[in-house]
């Protein structure tokens, strides 16, 4: 196996010559898994993003690597390709490359492993100069073997001690934690009145980080009072921390709702606040990030009132725009530290694209990634690789486990392997997590299956293998999850198994983006008045507002306060604005949702509240008869109460989901920017979108098969937002006419749909956070949030790059004339198609391709409007049948052998 | 990218923002603050010539009623002051029902205090003055300068009578040093915050009348108490 540093397709020449495996048994295993899971968890994840659930925001824990000392000691043993020994029970562990070869011959079809990328081992880059730290701190670091510091750690510490705001953007397990904890503690050693605030996006993370902080503090031997201040904190602890806590660990929600409004009780903290540390800052994006930007401005204003001006230290995963993002978030210049000096072992990353399988009805679609994982995980465990397997949903975790166990039935050796695989479930009890981790570390467990939400909190030094079942949602998450594999400087194996989804397939086509510069941007909008106005009201509770606050609360502060006064929320007195009534406004503003009028979702039967959905999402996707998917369970909406914002749903088992048929009208308002582009004029503008659901279709999962219609009668949603508009030139329109009616419409819809999905990729948001609309000669891509969140703005900025992605997606898709993985509507709840003409147009892919050529200024593409049409016909359901592993393997052998023989 | 960002709140967006604000749940029981006019009276009839003559004109008596004990989350509901104006004693009471109103009253108080050298209170060092300073700071107003001295009568009373009297409350000092028992209808100071709250939530003015009366009596007592304590000092 060569150790090239570039990813390359494997055996590309042999890809097309083989017939795809034609086994109805394979198909039924994967179709039963598929129908339970939805290959890339799309329908489910969209909801979790709109619920603002913290599950969407993935994070990694920065461990003070327990292996750190061994890292330095073994720095000279880099050439060894053997896995570090102590924890494996077998005599000589097989090399990852051997294991990979074995997998390819036994499990994967030859064309399934699309790319193999080897990230070479890299030695540590250590700092040449020592930052001016307190000698006690230096002594402690040295005694722990955390010496010399990595280059980026020293750079970060120096910058902070020099008084600069910084963002450290480097990979997982690169020692980012020390970049903030060390300078903070150093300052506290020198200044007994200094205080610091550490913010984390999740509770689990703050618990882990508090432990590390205490280890450092206790190791140095200084007395510093620290603590976590969040919803779970006991009253006595809260009092103590307010009074005498020097380092407070909390989260943005608590800061917003409790700490800032009661800043009088936190005078000790705010009068001497030297540092605000923000971990996982890339998760502060979208709606949440936009709210947090306002919270930070309130924080800075309160600090100024009490007499402090803290420095910001942020840590980010790898994204395209860390510095710009943090600058927008905190409103100050920030220095970026992105050189990564940490050492790493060799890592083999295999991208696995399950093959196209021929279905009994003649259509082809890809097997689901879960069916691959069910075979792959036991195989890796059998070979002695301690492996973590990330599934996208909780249900997915359970199903994978179940199938692993079922396939192992009847054979003791396979049973034993299956027994050593367990789920790493949620619950966030630190004791439970430690127990599983120690079992994994100690060898009792060989593998765990978990959701993305738990990629934080694994505190073992690293594992040997990692499997990702479907695209994890962002390059960030990919890197964090892949980072879980790789102990010390040993070799590790990572498998990414793609699902049938434009985004998954995009990454299969662009493996270099996983290892080079990320296309992903953290996007926030700091001037959305729907958000800033609400925070102004919160700010008025905290301190009077005046024009002098314009540097922090925005130039528009006086204008907005005047409006708020007219609406009786504020009252002016002596040039200052105050709350006009007695209220606690922070309790009404939730940081993770777009509006206050969320719909509560109630399950009839058990009569329990399942969750909330924000207003806009509910209005465009819920109606009586709608199928609501929550964690891959399906429910039907029985009643929508718009007055009380309540949705009543009932558990149901259907094989279909619903798509709203909507009438939309987009009225363009104030234009923010405009420019010309090949074939079109581009505009970024405020728009009003009026959406009315007129009915809905019932669509079978994973197809475009329409199995029924329903009617609804609902009030329309009026949404004020921002849109990126692509208005086709006259010539483009006239040139399309010769291809017949329906051509241009189909082309525009194809472009719109893919633009939206691929923009979501770049913006690290869910495609359901955007919507598209096609109108005569215009395509609109707009944010599904009042006031806009910045996504369409990114689309406007990156228009050309996104179009290139669209073209690739169209050209690269293996389907004949169009499919749900490329130009046809996927399982999005908001996608709507009204025209029969559009639905029946047979060549959406060709039409789309023609249009993209024109929009990117390429030579004219001549569409092929003959041949196989895009599918509209039904695909019958195959009954799920499970084979045990041994039998299945035999059947496959037979199939391959006979097919080889069959070819002359 | 140079954008004409939408925060200018033009036309449509402004209209939508207003609608959106209206939709958010209005707080329960909130209503605009009741206007309570200043009380301003000459109280010579209640104090007698002697007290007036022995009260210098560089001294001001102060007593606050507040919505709570913690300055960072309470308001000054009532500012009660008494001072010599030529040959009379003038008592004023300024009410504020909300935080915006409080600003105005605090500004007035600060300007008034500049005219005096000493502020006389009962437990002012422990409560009233720190409270005021905190509220001034919160409103980003300048407080009183160092030139204004505090004379906290409780300090003297405690020092002298702590061992003799059952307690050092103002009413006790009134009785024992001035010989004036409080009327039985006097409402204790501890009830004041609740009564103010009731009124802010819609109860009529009569609800705080007893509080206003109590505050006036306190202020008047301060005048006499100051004189008495001085006498004792001179004697001893």
């Amino acid at each position: 196996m060569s150790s090239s540093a570039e990813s390359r397709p494997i055996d590309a020449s042999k890809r097309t010559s083989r017939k795809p495996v034609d086994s109805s048994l394979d198909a039924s295993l994967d179709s039963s898994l598929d129908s339970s899971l939805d290959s890339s968890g799309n329908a489910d994840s969209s909801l979790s993003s709109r619920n603002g659930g913290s599950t969407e925001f993935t994070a990694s824990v920065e461990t003070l690597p327990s292996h750190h000392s061994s890292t330095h000691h073994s720095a000279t043993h880099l050439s060894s390709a053997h896995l570090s020994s102590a924890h494996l029970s077998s005599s000589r562990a097989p090399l990852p490359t051997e294991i990979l070869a074995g997998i390819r011959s036994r499990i994967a079809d030859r064309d399934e492993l699309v790319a193999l990328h080897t990230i070479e081992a890299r030695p540590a880059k250590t700092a040449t100069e020592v930052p001016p730290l307190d000698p006690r701190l230096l002594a402690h670091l040295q005694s722990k073997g955390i010496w010399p510091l990595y280059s980026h750690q020293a750079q970060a510490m120096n910058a902070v001690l020099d008084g600069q705001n910084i963002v450290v953007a480097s990979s997982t397990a690169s020692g980012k934690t020390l970049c903030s904890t060390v300078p903070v503690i150093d300052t506290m050693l020198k200044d007994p009145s200094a205080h610091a605030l550490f913010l984390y996006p999740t509770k689990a993370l703050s618990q882990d980080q508090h432990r590390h902080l205490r280890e450092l503090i206790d190791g140095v031997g200084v007395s510093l009072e620290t603590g976590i201040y969040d919803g779970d904190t006991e009253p006595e602890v809260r009092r103590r921390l307010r009074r005498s806590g020097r380092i407070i660990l909390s989260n943005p929600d608590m800061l917003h709702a409790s700490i800032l409004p009661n800043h009088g009780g936190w005078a000790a903290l705010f009068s001497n606040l030297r540092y605000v540390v923000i971990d996982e800052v890339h998760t502060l994006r979208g709606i949440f990030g936009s709210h947090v930007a306002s919270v930070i401005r309130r924080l800075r204003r309160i600090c100024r009132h009490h007499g402090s001006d803290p420095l910001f230290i942020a840590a980010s995963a790898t994204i395209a725009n860390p510095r710009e993002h943090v600058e927008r978030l905190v409103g100050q210049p920030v220095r970026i530290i992105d050189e990564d000096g940490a050492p790493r072992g060799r890592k083999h990353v295999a991208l696995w694209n399950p093959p196209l399988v021929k279905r009994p009805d003649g259509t082809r679609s890809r097997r689901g990634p879960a069916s691959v994982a069910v075979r792959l995980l036991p195989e890796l465990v059998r070979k002695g690789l301690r492996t973590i397997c990330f599934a996208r949903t909780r249900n997915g975790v359970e199903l994978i486990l179940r199938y692993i166990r079922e396939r192992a039935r009847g054979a003791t050796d396979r049973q034993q392997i299956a027994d050593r695989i367990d789920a790493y479930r949620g619950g966030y009890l630190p004791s439970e997590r430690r127990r599983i981790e120690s079992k994994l570390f100690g060898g009792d467990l060989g593998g765990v299956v978990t959701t993305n939400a738990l990629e934080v909190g694994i505190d073992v030094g690293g594992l040997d293998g990692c499997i990702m079942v479907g695209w994890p949602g962002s390059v960030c998450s990919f890197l964090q999850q892949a980072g879980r594999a790789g102990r010390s400087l040993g070799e590790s194996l990572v498998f990414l198994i793609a699902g049938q989804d434009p985004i998954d397939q995009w990454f299969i086509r662009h493996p270099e983006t996983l290892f080079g510069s990320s296309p992903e941007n953290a996007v926030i909008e700091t001037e959305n008045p729907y958000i800033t106005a609400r925070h102004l009201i919160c700010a008025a509770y905290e301190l009077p507002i005046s024009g002098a606050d314009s540097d922090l609360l925005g130039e528009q502060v006086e204008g907005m306060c005047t409006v708020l006064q007219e609406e009786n929320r504020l009252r002016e007195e002596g040039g200052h604005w105050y709350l006009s009534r007695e209220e606690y406004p922070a309790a009404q503003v939730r940081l993770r949702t777009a509006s206050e009028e969320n719909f509560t979702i109630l399950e009839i039967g058990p009569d329990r509240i399942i969750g909330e959905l924000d207003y806009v999402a509910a209005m465009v996707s819920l109606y009586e008869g709608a199928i609501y998917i929550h964690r891959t369970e399906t429910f039907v909406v029985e009643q929508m109460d718009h007055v009380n914002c309540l949705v009543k749903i009932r558990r149901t088992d259907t094989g279909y989901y619903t798509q709203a048929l909507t009438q939309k009208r987009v009225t363009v308002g104030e234009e923010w920017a405009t420019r010309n582009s090949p074939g079109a004029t581009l505009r970024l503008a405020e728009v009003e979108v009026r959406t009315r659901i007129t009915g809905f279709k019932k669509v079978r999962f994973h197809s475009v098969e329409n199995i029924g219609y329903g009617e609804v009668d609902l009030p329309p949603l009026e949404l004020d937002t921002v849109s990126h508009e692509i208005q086709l030139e006259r010539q483009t329109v006239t040139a399309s006419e010769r291809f017949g009616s329906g051509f241009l419409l189909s082309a525009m819809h194809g472009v719109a749909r893919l633009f939206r999905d691929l923009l979501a990729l770049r913006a690290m948001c869910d495609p359901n956070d955007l919507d598209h609309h096609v109108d005569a000669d215009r395509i609109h891509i707009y944010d599904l949030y009042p006031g806009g969140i910045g996504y369409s703005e990114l689309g406007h900025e990156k228009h050309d790059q996104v179009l290139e992605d669209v073209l690739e997606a169209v050209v690269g898709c293996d389907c004949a004339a169009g499919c749900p993985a490329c130009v046809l509507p996927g399982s999005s709840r908001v996608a709507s198609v009204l025209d029969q003409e559009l639905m029946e147009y047979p060549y959406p892919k060709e039409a789309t391709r023609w249009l993209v050529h024109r929009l990117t200024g390429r030579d004219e593409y001549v569409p092929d409007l003959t041949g196989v049409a895009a599918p509209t016909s039904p695909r019958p359901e195959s009954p799920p049948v499970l084979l045990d592993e041994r039998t299945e393997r035999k059947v496959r052998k037979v199939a391959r052998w006979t097919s080889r023989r069959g070819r002359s | 990218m140079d954008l004409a960002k939408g925060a200018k709140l033009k036309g449509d967006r402004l209209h939508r923002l207003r609608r959106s604000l209206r939709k958010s749940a209005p707080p329960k029981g909130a209503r605009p603050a009741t206007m309570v006019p200043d009380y301003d009276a000459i109280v010579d009839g209640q104090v007698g010539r002697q007290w007036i003559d022995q009260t210098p004109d560089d001294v001001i008596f102060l007593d606050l009623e507040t919505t709570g004990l913690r300055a960072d989350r309470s308001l000054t509901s009532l500012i009660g002051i008494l001072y010599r104006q030529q040959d009379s004693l003038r008592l004023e009471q300024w009410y504020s029902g909300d935080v915006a109103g409080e600003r105005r009253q605090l500004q007035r108080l600060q300007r008034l205090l500049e005219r005096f050298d000493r502020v006389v209170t009962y437990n002012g060092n422990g409560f009233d003055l720190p409270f005021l300073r905190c509220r001034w700071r919160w409103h980003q107003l300048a407080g009183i300068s160092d030139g204004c001295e505090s004379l906290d009568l409780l300090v003297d009373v405690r020092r002298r009578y702590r061992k003799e009297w059952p307690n050092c409350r103002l009413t006790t000092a009134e009785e024992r040093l001035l010989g004036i028992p409080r009327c039985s209808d006097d409402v204790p100071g501890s009830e004041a915050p609740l009564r103010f709250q009731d009124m802010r939530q819609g109860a009529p003015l009569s609800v705080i009348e007893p509080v206003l009366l109590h505050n006036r009596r306190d202020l008047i007592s301060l005048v006499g108490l100051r004189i008495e304590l001085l006498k004792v000092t001179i004697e001893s």
Side-chain angles (χ1 to χ4, degrees), chain A residues 542 566 578 582 596 688, chain B residues 16 18 24 138-139 200:
Chain A
E542 291 154 4
E566 288 164 15
Y578 298 89
E582 280 178 46
E596 293 139 10
E688 180 200 311
Chain B
R16 286 192 187 291
R18 285 181 199 267
S24 60
W138 191 88
H139 283 274
R200 281 199 309 276

Side-chain angles (χ1 to χ4, degrees), chain A residues 647-821:
Chain A
V647 185
K648 294 190 184 154
I649 62 178
R650 187 186 293 282
R651 182 88 179 74
T652 181
D653 265 316
T654 66
Y656 67 86
Y657 60 94
T658 50
Q659 277 188 341
L661 297 171
T662 56
Q663 276 178 337
K664 286 182 220 169
R665 190 182 65 210
V666 176
T667 316
V668 179
E670 182 174 335
E671 195 180 271
W672 289 0
T674 180
R675 68 176 191 271
N676 287 327
S677 187
T681 307
L682 309 178
R683 263 181 218 100
L684 182 66
E686 290 174 18
V687 295
E688 180 200 311
V689 182
R690 200 162 181 278
T691 308
R692 177 181 220 113
I693 305 180
T694 53
F696 61 95
K697 288 190 311 184
K698 301 178 188 175
V699 183
R700 209 179 285 285
F701 279 113
H702 305 295
S703 76
V704 293
E705 183 201 346
N706 179 338
I707 58 177
Y709 285 96
E711 282 184 8
V712 295
D713 179 23
L714 287 175
L717 167 73
E718 285 170 12
L719 178 65
D720 160 27
T721 181
V722 180
S723 166
H724 167 57
E725 178 191 307
I726 306 169
Q727 181 176 24
L728 302 183
E729 279 173 359
R730 194 90 287 273
Q731 299 142 296
T732 314
V733 175
T734 34
S736 74
E737 284 163 3
R738 71 177 185 277
F739 299 116
S741 78
F743 181 83
L744 185 62
L745 194 61
S746 175
M748 290 173 78
H749 272 275
V751 168
R753 191 257 161 148
L754 279 171
F755 196 102
R756 175 181 140 185
D757 276 2
L758 296 166
L759 173 59
L761 184 160
R762 283 178 183 269
M764 287 199 288
C765 67
D766 190 282
N768 282 324
D769 292 335
L770 296 160
D771 197 8
H772 62 270
H773 178 68
V774 171
D775 198 356
D777 61 343
R778 301 177 204 226
I779 296 172
H780 283 277
I781 311 282
Y782 53 89
D783 299 358
L784 265 180
Y785 289 105
I789 282 299
Y791 301 136
S792 48
E793 193 178 327
L794 186 72
H796 187 79
E797 190 189 316
K798 308 266 184 212
H799 172 87
D800 299 322
Q801 291 99 312
V802 179
L803 276 185
E804 291 299 317
D805 295 342
V806 170
L807 184 60
E808 268 181 26
V810 170
V811 171
C813 188
D814 288 323
C815 70
C819 71

